[in-house]
Amino acid sequence: MMMMLGIWTAFVHVSIFTWAEGTPPNVHALDDGLALTPPMGWYPWNIFGQEPQNEKLIKEIVDTLVTSGMRDAGYSYVGPDEGICFLRASDGKLTTNFERYPSGLRGLGDSIHERGLKYALYTDAGTHTCSKAMPGTKGREFEDMRRFADWRCDYVKIDWCHTEGQDVVKAYTLLHDAQHAAGRPIVHSLCTWGEGSPWKWAAAVGHLWRTTGDICGPGLADWESAMKIAFDNETLFEWAGPGHWNDPDMMIVGMPGLSEAQNRSFFSLWCMMASPLMAGNDLRNMSKSTIQILTNREAIGVNQDPLGIQGRIIRRNGQVSIWAGKRLFDGSQAVLVFNQRSSPADVRVLWSDIGMDDTAGLYVRDLWAHETTGPHAGAISVTVPPNDVAMLRISKSKDFPLPPIIIADTYVVSLRATDTAAQTLSAAVTIRNQGSAELPLWKVREGLPGWLSVTVAGDGKSQTLTNRISTAGLKKGFYHAIVRVDNTEPVSGRPMSAIYYDVDLEVPNNVGGGSK
Ligand code: GLA
């Protein structure tokens, strides 16, 4: 971690600023309230590859997401990657591979939702997934997305292997249309490794897109590859924003072979770039230091900032770079000083470099030491140890509020009628705001079925969503609704956060008392 220096040392710099190819974006992201901040979660591929993936592993990881505090820090999407979890049956339908996933893919999803987490799956736009062990969606896009919806999937990574002759824009547009037709809100994570420059078009059909090749092979972190990916991804900073993110791949934090400083540096870079934070390590065997890094709420606050700006390099001198340009919701700015040398670097960050007015001096928060100093006039000087970072937040105010991070106690409500006379059943979903900025304005979106009403009550920190079900007049059967609750920005009416959850109702007999 860095030390603040009393004496300011000059920072000699060469500016090697690279602009993204193409014209500056005027992006119209999907208006579905999904991925308004970079998705956070866990995928098995980086550490496990294919073979060890099965239901037992995913469930153990789900447990650790909860017990390690990662869920409460914001990690939510979890599920098998290329884990041979489904096959195509002889009738053409996708079916669970019950040998590996005995509860079925719907059962696995339910158990994830019950723990207050969301369900991620994986497929491919071509004929097969990369290893050829699983079917791709080509030619069966609508049926497959319907199946993903039946399994109650919330996030799907769609790979680009075995797609010879397919047009990348058309293929992912079709998959988006198919998902839309299936009627379930699902985050679409495109995985073309940058092929077809997805940053230029994919915001209209998905929520995140891989910008580069794979960060590592299963089981082995590759620091050189991670650094190349970080610096390539940086050049695309203009194309990211709420609902549409550049994805430099899953994280390698906590994988064998990395030092604590490398883990910290990696995490800080991903947070600064507003990158999706999909952990890729074995959560069941984490050191204390890895947990502390992955759950550093001040760094996560930079990543999950609602303005969704991707930080960029404003100065680079050989192996020392200053990353900034990341204005945060409270008017403060995040700054990262990254030292890739094998010796310490003395670096001076000028307030004029980051476009902040310094008349009254500025406060500096060290996001790894969790200390505030200041006011500092004109600049701050830091000494960054070898291969490490200084991650700072700079503000006119002494307060450094954390942006909202919304956690639900469950994402499913299941009720069963017990009587043939009309009944009112009720169950609550509690959502908590883990940030310090208040979010009191939650509102249920219209369009609920007649048997369900939802009321919202609470304050800026916690809301209770009471689901009231009236069985009057319902016929025997299963009923299902997806509830969307938005937190709306008071002036623009723009959703700042949105959550979705499922409501299930079983009615074992026809119920009297109504006309439905
Ligand atoms: C591709 C993706 C990886 C992983 C593997 C699975 O290589 O880029 O992230 O999903 O496929 O085979």
Side-chain angles (χ1 to χ4, degrees):
M1 271 175 269
M2 67 128 192
M3 278 164 16
M4 300 205 185
L5 274 189
I7 333 153
W8 291 350
T9 37
F11 184 82
V12 188
H13 72 270
V14 191
S15 185
I16 43 166
F17 214 54
T18 332
W19 290 92
E21 54 169 322
T23 47
N26 179 16
V27 172
H28 293 285
L30 295 168
D31 183 24
D32 54 14
L34 293 171
L36 291 174
T37 57
M40 296 175 68
W42 180 88
Y43 251 145
W45 185 256
N46 279 3
I47 187 74
F48 293 113
Q50 188 166 68
E51 269 321 303
Q53 292 190 43
N54 56 36
E55 179 173 325
K56 183 170 171 285
L57 172 73
I58 303 295
K59 287 189 166 168
E60 285 171 6
I61 294 289
V62 164
D63 282 345
T64 346
L65 276 168
V66 176
T67 54
S68 65
M70 285 178 72
R71 179 193 62 184
D72 286 357
Y75 295 85
S76 62
Y77 296 103
V78 56
D81 187 309
E82 180 154 9
I84 327 187
C85 54
F86 55 78
L87 311 161
R88 198 174 293 290
S90 50
D91 64 358
K93 286 202 180 117
L94 292 184
T95 172
T96 298
N97 177 356
F98 284 98
E99 273 172 37
R100 284 187 185 233
Y101 297 86
S103 303
L105 287 183
R106 169 67 195 277
L108 178 63
D110 286 351
S111 69
I112 289 172
H113 289 139
E114 280 157 15
R115 306 295 298 277
L117 292 162
K118 296 183 198 155
Y119 190 22
L121 287 170
Y122 163 89
T123 187
D124 192 288
T127 53
H128 293 91
T129 56
C130 297
S131 73
K132 289 209 165 175
M134 289 167 73
T137 53
K138 189 185 172 193
R140 295 193 180 269
E141 292 82 0
F142 282 76
E143 295 156 62
D144 286 4
M145 283 298 134
R146 179 69 251 162
R147 200 78 173 121
F148 277 61
D150 292 344
W151 285 330
R152 304 262 171 106
C153 166
D154 305 303
Y155 178 110
V156 61
K157 172 173 166 182
I158 309 176
D159 226 325
W160 188 240
C161 283
H162 312 297
T163 51
E164 292 70 26
Q166 284 178 252
D167 177 278
V168 70
V169 180
K170 284 190 186 145
Y172 283 100
T173 304
L174 189 62
L175 281 158
H176 167 69
D177 292 348
Q179 178 251 310
H180 195 71
R184 184 173 182 82
I186 299 181
V187 173
H188 271 215
S189 159
L190 283 66
C191 183
T192 69
W193 324 289
E195 213 178 298
S197 307
W199 42 92
K200 290 185 183 167
W201 50 269
V205 296
H207 305 91
L208 61 153
W209 48 83
R210 283 276 296 281
T211 53
T212 64
D214 287 4
I215 201 159
C216 61
L220 215 57
D222 179 342
W223 185 249
E224 297 310 314
S225 145
M227 289 305 100
K228 178 168 184 342
I229 282 176
F231 283 89
D232 286 351
N233 187 70
E234 184 272 340
T235 64
L236 300 168
F237 65 88
E238 283 186 299
W239 302 90
H244 55 103
W245 309 102
N246 289 314
D247 176 8
D249 207 356
M250 296 168 279
M251 296 195 283
I252 55 171
V253 174
M255 286 182 66
L258 297 185
S259 68
E260 182 175 329
Q262 284 173 322
N263 282 329
R264 185 167 41 244
S265 300
F266 184 100
F267 194 68
S268 305
L269 287 164
W270 262 236
C271 287
M272 266 314 273
M273 291 194 291
S275 303
L277 298 180
M278 295 298 277
N281 58 315
D282 184 353
L283 304 186
R284 301 165 310 168
N285 296 304
M286 280 192 286
S287 67
K288 212 170 151 201
S289 142
T290 296
I291 299 179
Q292 272 168 359
I293 290 170
L294 287 173
T295 58
N296 178 344
R297 293 196 184 202
E298 296 203 61
I300 292 173
V302 169
N303 178 269
Q304 293 292 300
D305 180 80
L307 301 185
I309 298 170
Q310 178 172 330
R312 59 190 163 81
I313 298 173
I314 57 161
R315 286 187 184 191
R316 188 172 177 184
N317 175 15
Q319 292 183 297
V320 180
S321 48
I322 301 183
W323 302 58
K326 189 156 176 51
R327 190 165 52 86
L328 305 175
F329 75 108
D330 64 334
S332 67
Q333 295 212 25
V335 173
L336 183 72
V337 184
F338 182 28
N339 176 20
Q340 293 175 277
R341 290 190 207 148
S342 48
S343 56
D346 295 334
V347 177
R348 189 174 179 215
V349 179
L350 302 169
W351 299 160
S352 55
D353 281 345
I354 57 170
M356 284 187 83
D357 167 16
D358 69 340
T359 35
L362 296 173
Y363 291 91
V364 176
R365 179 86 181 158
D366 180 328
L367 304 187
W368 287 109
H370 308 296
E371 281 166 10
T372 306
T373 57
H376 297 271
I380 180 89
S381 292
V382 294
T383 295
V384 187
N387 288 306
D388 211 333
V389 286
M391 191 175 188
L392 311 173
R393 224 171 122 180
I394 320 285
S395 179
K396 286 185 180 173
S397 153
K398 262 188 196 159
D399 297 323
F400 289 89
L402 293 177
I405 290 188
I406 310 301
I407 312 294
D409 62 343
T410 181
Y411 287 100
V412 64
V413 170
S414 292
L415 291 167
R416 186 173 189 273
T418 51
D419 209 331
T420 47
Q423 288 177 284
T424 302
L425 308 170
S426 169
V429 171
T430 305
I431 55 174
R432 284 176 287 126
N433 173 5
Q434 305 287 79
S436 52
E438 299 228 323
L439 266 191
L441 294 172
W442 290 92
K443 199 166 169 261
V444 180
R445 280 259 171 154
E446 282 137 30
L448 296 182
W451 50 269
L452 175 65
S453 68
V454 182
T455 50
V456 188
D459 52 26
K461 294 301 290 174
S462 167
Q463 302 282 327
T464 304
L465 311 171
T466 305
N467 301 271
R468 276 200 193 79
I469 287 167
S470 162
T471 64
L474 291 185
K475 298 236 161 19
K476 174 182 169 169
F478 288 92
Y479 295 78
H480 171 239
I482 300 175
V483 180
R484 172 172 171 179
V485 193
D486 282 347
N487 189 272
T488 310
E489 204 272 321
V491 181
S492 67
R494 186 174 79 86
M496 298 287 289
S497 283
I499 71 152
Y500 287 94
Y501 61 91
D502 291 282
V503 178
D504 289 323
L505 171 66
E506 185 187 349
V507 181
N509 299 295
N510 290 344
V511 181
S515 53
K516 289 174 201 130

